[in-house]
Amino acid sequence: MKRLLILLVLPLFFGILQAQKTKKQTIKFTQAWVWEYENNLIAENEPGHKGEIVVYFEPKQNYWLFTSEAFGNSGEMYNWIIGKPDGTYVLNASDEFGNTKLMIEKLKFSTNKKIPSHYIPVSNKKIFNENKLGFPKIIGRKYIVDYEKTTDQSSVYFADHKVNFSPLYHFNRLNIEAKIPFSFPFDLPENKLLLEDESIITTSKISLVFKEISNTEYFVEINDK
Protein backbone atom coordinates (compact mmCIF):
# COMPACT_ATOMS: atom_id res chain seq x y z
CA MET A 1 0.00 0.00 0.00
CA LYS A 2 2.83 2.39 0.88
CA ARG A 3 4.56 1.62 -2.40
CA LEU A 4 1.36 2.37 -4.33
CA LEU A 5 0.96 5.65 -2.44
CA ILE A 6 4.51 6.67 -3.29
CA LEU A 7 3.93 5.87 -6.96
CA LEU A 8 0.82 8.05 -6.95
CA VAL A 9 2.57 10.95 -5.22
CA LEU A 10 5.69 10.99 -7.41
CA PRO A 11 3.94 12.19 -10.61
CA LEU A 12 2.27 14.96 -8.60
CA PHE A 13 5.61 15.96 -7.08
CA PHE A 14 7.38 16.13 -10.43
CA GLY A 15 4.43 17.99 -11.89
CA ILE A 16 4.84 20.67 -9.22
CA LEU A 17 8.57 20.88 -9.95
CA GLN A 18 7.86 21.27 -13.66
CA ALA A 19 5.35 24.04 -12.95
CA GLN A 20 7.94 25.81 -10.82
CA LYS A 21 10.41 25.69 -13.71
CA THR A 22 7.95 27.55 -15.95
CA LYS A 23 8.47 31.16 -15.04
CA LYS A 24 6.87 34.28 -16.38
CA GLN A 25 9.22 36.98 -17.59
CA THR A 26 7.67 40.43 -17.26
CA ILE A 27 9.01 43.18 -19.51
CA LYS A 28 8.12 46.74 -18.60
CA PHE A 29 8.15 49.25 -21.44
CA THR A 30 8.61 52.73 -20.00
CA GLN A 31 8.54 54.97 -23.06
CA ALA A 32 6.11 55.66 -25.91
CA TRP A 33 7.54 56.99 -29.18
CA VAL A 34 5.05 58.63 -31.53
CA TRP A 35 5.17 59.58 -35.20
CA GLU A 36 2.36 61.18 -37.24
CA TYR A 37 1.89 60.18 -40.86
CA GLU A 38 -0.23 61.05 -43.89
CA ASN A 39 -0.33 59.12 -47.16
CA ASN A 40 -2.27 60.74 -49.98
CA LEU A 41 -1.84 57.67 -52.16
CA ILE A 42 -4.56 56.18 -49.93
CA ALA A 43 -8.06 57.65 -50.01
CA GLU A 44 -9.32 59.67 -47.07
CA ASN A 45 -11.17 57.68 -44.39
CA GLU A 46 -9.34 54.54 -45.53
CA PRO A 47 -6.96 52.75 -43.11
CA GLY A 48 -3.40 53.92 -43.64
CA HIS A 49 -4.30 57.37 -44.98
CA LYS A 50 -3.55 59.36 -41.84
CA GLY A 51 -2.86 58.75 -38.17
CA GLU A 52 -0.28 58.04 -35.50
CA ILE A 53 2.30 55.30 -35.13
CA VAL A 54 2.90 54.52 -31.45
CA VAL A 55 5.75 52.16 -30.52
CA TYR A 56 6.75 51.29 -26.95
CA PHE A 57 10.38 51.15 -25.84
CA GLU A 58 12.35 49.47 -23.06
CA PRO A 59 15.65 51.39 -22.85
CA LYS A 60 17.73 49.00 -20.71
CA GLN A 61 17.62 46.17 -23.23
CA ASN A 62 16.70 48.28 -26.27
CA TYR A 63 13.49 46.33 -26.90
CA TRP A 64 10.69 47.76 -29.05
CA LEU A 65 7.06 46.71 -28.58
CA PHE A 66 4.64 46.81 -31.52
CA THR A 67 0.89 46.62 -30.96
CA SER A 68 -2.19 47.59 -32.97
CA GLU A 69 -1.21 51.19 -32.17
CA ALA A 70 1.68 50.65 -34.59
CA PHE A 71 0.35 48.22 -37.22
CA GLY A 72 -3.39 48.89 -36.94
CA ASN A 73 -5.72 46.20 -38.29
CA SER A 74 -3.16 44.83 -40.71
CA GLY A 75 -2.27 42.02 -38.33
CA GLU A 76 -5.42 41.22 -36.37
CA MET A 77 -4.08 37.89 -35.12
CA TYR A 78 -1.08 39.50 -33.42
CA ASN A 79 -1.52 40.72 -29.86
CA TRP A 80 1.97 42.18 -29.73
CA ILE A 81 5.43 41.84 -31.26
CA ILE A 82 8.74 42.55 -29.52
CA GLY A 83 11.75 43.56 -31.64
CA LYS A 84 15.23 43.05 -30.21
CA PRO A 85 18.50 44.69 -31.32
CA ASP A 86 20.00 41.34 -32.42
CA GLY A 87 17.31 40.93 -35.10
CA THR A 88 15.05 38.62 -33.07
CA TYR A 89 11.31 39.27 -33.06
CA VAL A 90 8.99 37.59 -30.55
CA LEU A 91 5.45 37.39 -31.89
CA ASN A 92 2.41 36.76 -29.68
CA ALA A 93 -0.56 35.65 -31.78
CA SER A 94 -4.06 34.25 -31.23
CA ASP A 95 -5.93 31.97 -33.61
CA GLU A 96 -9.67 31.97 -34.40
CA PHE A 97 -10.30 29.76 -31.35
CA GLY A 98 -8.59 32.14 -28.93
CA ASN A 99 -5.49 29.98 -28.49
CA THR A 100 -2.35 32.04 -27.94
CA LYS A 101 1.12 31.06 -29.07
CA LEU A 102 4.59 32.58 -29.25
CA MET A 103 6.63 32.55 -32.44
CA ILE A 104 10.17 33.67 -33.20
CA GLU A 105 11.42 35.32 -36.38
CA LYS A 106 14.93 36.53 -37.11
CA LEU A 107 16.11 39.25 -39.49
CA LYS A 108 19.55 40.41 -40.47
CA PHE A 109 19.89 44.13 -39.81
CA SER A 110 21.85 46.67 -41.83
CA THR A 111 25.47 47.12 -40.73
CA ASN A 112 25.83 50.58 -42.27
CA LYS A 113 27.90 52.91 -40.11
CA LYS A 114 27.22 56.00 -42.24
CA ILE A 115 24.16 57.47 -43.90
CA PRO A 116 24.08 56.23 -47.53
CA SER A 117 25.37 58.65 -50.15
CA HIS A 118 21.97 59.21 -51.80
CA TYR A 119 21.05 61.30 -48.73
CA ILE A 120 22.60 64.71 -49.42
CA PRO A 121 23.01 66.93 -46.32
CA VAL A 122 21.98 70.59 -46.39
CA SER A 123 22.34 73.30 -43.78
CA ASN A 124 18.74 73.37 -42.52
CA LYS A 125 18.03 72.21 -38.98
CA LYS A 126 14.78 71.79 -37.05
CA ILE A 127 13.83 71.14 -33.42
CA PHE A 128 11.60 68.17 -32.54
CA ASN A 129 10.12 66.79 -29.31
CA GLU A 130 9.42 70.25 -27.89
CA ASN A 131 7.20 69.43 -24.93
CA LYS A 132 7.21 69.18 -21.14
CA LEU A 133 7.10 65.39 -20.88
CA GLY A 134 10.55 64.98 -19.36
CA PHE A 135 12.60 64.25 -22.48
CA PRO A 136 15.07 66.64 -24.14
CA LYS A 137 14.53 68.42 -27.41
CA ILE A 138 15.98 66.74 -30.49
CA ILE A 139 17.72 68.71 -33.23
CA GLY A 140 17.42 67.20 -36.68
CA ARG A 141 19.50 67.95 -39.76
CA LYS A 142 17.92 68.08 -43.19
CA TYR A 143 18.89 65.82 -46.09
CA ILE A 144 17.65 65.76 -49.69
CA VAL A 145 17.18 62.33 -51.20
CA ASP A 146 18.73 61.91 -54.66
CA TYR A 147 16.59 59.69 -56.88
CA GLU A 148 18.62 58.99 -60.03
CA LYS A 149 15.98 57.27 -62.17
CA THR A 150 12.69 58.88 -61.08
CA THR A 151 11.17 62.31 -60.61
CA ASP A 152 10.18 61.49 -57.02
CA GLN A 153 11.28 64.02 -54.42
CA SER A 154 12.06 63.56 -50.73
CA SER A 155 13.50 65.55 -47.88
CA VAL A 156 14.23 64.06 -44.48
CA TYR A 157 15.52 65.06 -41.07
CA PHE A 158 17.85 62.79 -39.08
CA ALA A 159 19.42 63.06 -35.65
CA ASP A 160 22.04 61.00 -33.86
CA HIS A 161 20.65 59.11 -30.87
CA LYS A 162 21.92 56.52 -28.39
CA VAL A 163 18.95 54.25 -29.16
CA ASN A 164 19.16 51.36 -31.66
CA PHE A 165 16.30 51.86 -34.13
CA SER A 166 16.95 48.79 -36.29
CA PRO A 167 14.03 46.72 -34.87
CA LEU A 168 11.69 49.57 -35.83
CA TYR A 169 13.15 50.30 -39.26
CA HIS A 170 13.21 46.64 -40.33
CA PHE A 171 9.76 45.71 -38.95
CA ASN A 172 8.00 45.73 -42.33
CA ARG A 173 10.52 43.18 -43.65
CA LEU A 174 8.94 40.51 -41.44
CA ASN A 175 7.05 37.92 -43.45
CA ILE A 176 3.77 38.58 -41.67
CA GLU A 177 0.54 40.44 -42.38
CA ALA A 178 1.16 43.10 -39.72
CA LYS A 179 2.71 46.20 -41.30
CA ILE A 180 3.45 49.69 -40.02
CA PRO A 181 1.60 52.18 -42.28
CA PHE A 182 4.88 53.96 -43.14
CA SER A 183 7.88 52.16 -44.58
CA PHE A 184 10.91 53.30 -42.62
CA PRO A 185 14.19 53.12 -44.56
CA PHE A 186 16.21 50.10 -43.47
CA ASP A 187 19.58 51.17 -44.90
CA LEU A 188 20.27 53.63 -42.09
CA PRO A 189 22.82 53.25 -39.29
CA GLU A 190 21.17 51.85 -36.18
CA ASN A 191 21.53 55.09 -34.19
CA LYS A 192 20.05 57.49 -36.77
CA LEU A 193 16.60 58.69 -35.75
CA LEU A 194 14.23 59.54 -38.60
CA LEU A 195 12.42 62.66 -37.46
CA GLU A 196 10.70 63.77 -40.64
CA ASP A 197 10.16 62.46 -44.14
CA GLU A 198 8.28 64.40 -46.80
CA SER A 199 8.05 62.74 -50.20
CA ILE A 200 6.26 63.41 -53.46
CA ILE A 201 5.54 60.09 -55.17
CA THR A 202 3.82 60.38 -58.57
CA THR A 203 2.41 63.79 -57.54
CA SER A 204 1.02 62.45 -54.23
CA LYS A 205 2.46 63.49 -50.88
CA ILE A 206 3.55 61.03 -48.20
CA SER A 207 4.78 62.49 -44.92
CA LEU A 208 6.02 61.37 -41.53
CA VAL A 209 6.80 63.65 -38.58
CA PHE A 210 8.16 62.68 -35.19
CA LYS A 211 5.76 63.94 -32.55
CA GLU A 212 7.12 63.05 -29.10
CA ILE A 213 8.57 60.71 -26.52
CA SER A 214 6.55 60.27 -23.34
CA ASN A 215 6.71 58.20 -20.16
CA THR A 216 4.42 55.21 -19.88
CA GLU A 217 4.04 51.78 -18.27
CA TYR A 218 3.21 48.88 -20.58
CA PHE A 219 3.76 45.35 -19.29
CA VAL A 220 4.20 42.20 -21.36
CA GLU A 221 4.53 38.71 -19.91
CA ILE A 222 6.46 35.92 -21.60
CA ASN A 223 6.50 32.36 -20.31
CA ASP A 224 10.04 31.04 -19.96
CA LYS A 225 10.35 27.29 -20.03
Side-chain angles (χ1 to χ4, degrees):
M1 186 65 180
K2 288 183 179 179
R3 185 178 179 182
L4 178 60
L5 183 60
I6 291 172
L7 291 175
L8 290 173
V9 171
L10 280 175
L12 177 61
F13 174 74
F14 286 112
I16 293 172
L17 286 180
Q18 185 64 38
Q20 289 175 344
K21 290 180 180 179
T22 303
K23 297 180 180 179
K24 288 185 177 180
Q25 177 191 4
T26 300
I27 303 175
K28 179 182 177 182
F29 292 84
T30 59
Q31 298 176 11
W33 291 58
V34 185
W35 286 260
E36 296 176 324
Y37 71 92
E38 184 172 351
N39 185 348
N40 289 323
L41 289 172
I42 299 175
E44 290 186 29
N45 301 319
E46 290 292 326
H49 170 70
K50 186 177 182 180
E52 288 188 344
I53 300 168
V54 182
V55 189
Y56 297 97
F57 185 61
E58 196 282 289
K60 293 182 180 179
Q61 300 178 90
N62 207 120
Y63 287 178
W64 292 91
L65 175 67
F66 305 87
T67 68
S68 59
E69 293 176 88
F71 50 76
N73 295 324
S74 64
E76 293 183 350
M77 67 178 290
Y78 296 101
N79 303 310
W80 49 259
I81 299 170
I82 293 175
K84 301 181 180 183
D86 67 350
T88 300
Y89 289 82
V90 181
L91 302 89
N92 180 288
S94 297
D95 61 22
E96 63 271 26
F97 304 107
N99 299 315
T100 301
K101 63 178 180 178
L102 287 181
M103 298 172 288
I104 302 294
E105 289 212 20
K106 188 82 180 244
L107 294 178
K108 185 176 181 180
F109 290 158
S110 168
T111 57
N112 288 348
K113 299 300 181 183
K114 295 181 179 180
I115 294 177
S117 59
H118 59 271
Y119 294 98
I120 302 170
V122 294
S123 59
N124 305 58
K125 293 184 178 180
K126 188 184 291 188
I127 298 175
F128 297 82
N129 201 48
E130 289 189 274
N131 54 45
K132 297 180 180 179
L133 300 176
F135 293 90
K137 299 176 183 178
I138 301 173
I139 299 176
R141 183 178 183 181
K142 186 176 182 179
Y143 291 74
I144 301 298
V145 183
D146 181 20
Y147 295 105
E148 294 182 353
K149 298 181 180 180
T150 73
T151 59
D152 297 342
Q153 304 173 38
S154 294
S155 64
V156 299
Y157 281 85
F158 295 132
D160 291 321
H161 207 286
K162 61 183 179 180
V163 167
N164 184 336
F165 298 99
S166 292
L168 169 63
Y169 293 165
H170 288 257
F171 182 88
N172 280 359
R173 291 180 54 224
L174 289 169
N175 188 27
I176 59 175
E177 293 180 357
K179 300 295 179 185
I180 294 173
F182 180 89
S183 294
F184 286 89
F186 49 81
D187 57 356
L188 297 175
E190 63 185 32
N191 64 336
K192 290 294 181 182
L193 169 58
L194 178 60
L195 293 161
E196 183 174 311
D197 186 320
E198 186 172 300
S199 300
I200 304 297
I201 309 296
T202 60
T203 72
S204 294
K205 181 180 176 181
I206 301 174
S207 63
L208 179 83
V209 179
F210 184 71
K211 181 182 178 181
E212 65 187 18
I213 310 170
S214 63
N215 290 298
T216 190
E217 288 188 348
Y218 200 119
F219 295 89
V220 169
E221 285 189 347
I222 301 177
N223 289 335
D224 289 340
K225 294 184 178 180

